[in-house]
Amino acid sequence: VQLQASGGGLVQAGDSLTLSCKGSGSSFSGYTMGWLRQAPGKERDLVAAISWNSGSRYYIDSVKGRFTISRDNAKETLYLQMNNLKPEDTAVYYCAAGTGYSENDFDFWGQGTLVTVSS
């Protein structure tokens, strides 16, 4: 599956932003999907993930209550709604498709979209 992420930008602390990830090629609906991020000088983290049928979701503790991951399999699109953004959310965000909820479980990656949150 090919993935194309979009929606990043420069926002102020407290603002909201929605990232999108459009899939194409092999069956999008069969994959667990995730959003991962990498801040400058830091390791990449799994921020959120969602099962193939949206039956389960995972969030890293630092975004719980602020971020919502969702998917529309008919549109082959993954979303990340980010509210109350903080400067520490600044990172390149990647969407990925795979089979589980750890970084090593993701086999297909989008190109990344930069989110910058100013204080």
Side-chain angles (χ1 to χ4, degrees):
V1 61
Q2 290 80 46
L3 302 170
Q4 180 76 32
S6 62
L10 172 63
V11 297
Q12 293 186 333
D15 285 350
S16 297
L17 201 61
T18 299
L19 304 182
S20 299
C21 176
K22 181 70 174 72
S24 62
S26 69
S27 179
F28 175 92
S29 62
Y31 291 103
T32 293
M33 298 298 298
W35 287 99
L36 301 94
R37 69 185 180 189
Q38 187 164 23
K42 295 189 177 180
E43 293 185 353
R44 188 162 53 194
D45 291 323
L46 176 62
V47 175
I50 187 169
S51 63
W52 68 276
N53 63 351
S54 302
S56 68
R57 292 172 172 84
Y58 162 85
Y59 296 98
I60 195 172
D61 284 346
S62 60
V63 308
K64 286 180 180 177
R66 299 189 298 122
F67 290 12
T68 302
I69 189 171
S70 62
R71 65 191 296 167
D72 185 333
N73 286 339
K75 296 182 179 179
E76 296 186 315
T77 304
L78 174 73
Y79 304 98
L80 186 67
Q81 172 69 43
M82 304 184 292
N83 297 328
N84 190 22
L85 282 159
K86 302 177 180 181
E88 51 264 42
D89 295 317
T90 294
V92 177
Y93 284 72
Y94 300 89
C95 59
T99 58
Y101 284 4
S102 75
E103 184 175 344
N104 292 336
D105 292 329
F106 291 101
D107 302 311
F108 304 96
W109 295 76
Q111 85 287 5
T113 186
L114 176 62
V115 174
T116 304
V117 185
S118 64
S119 58

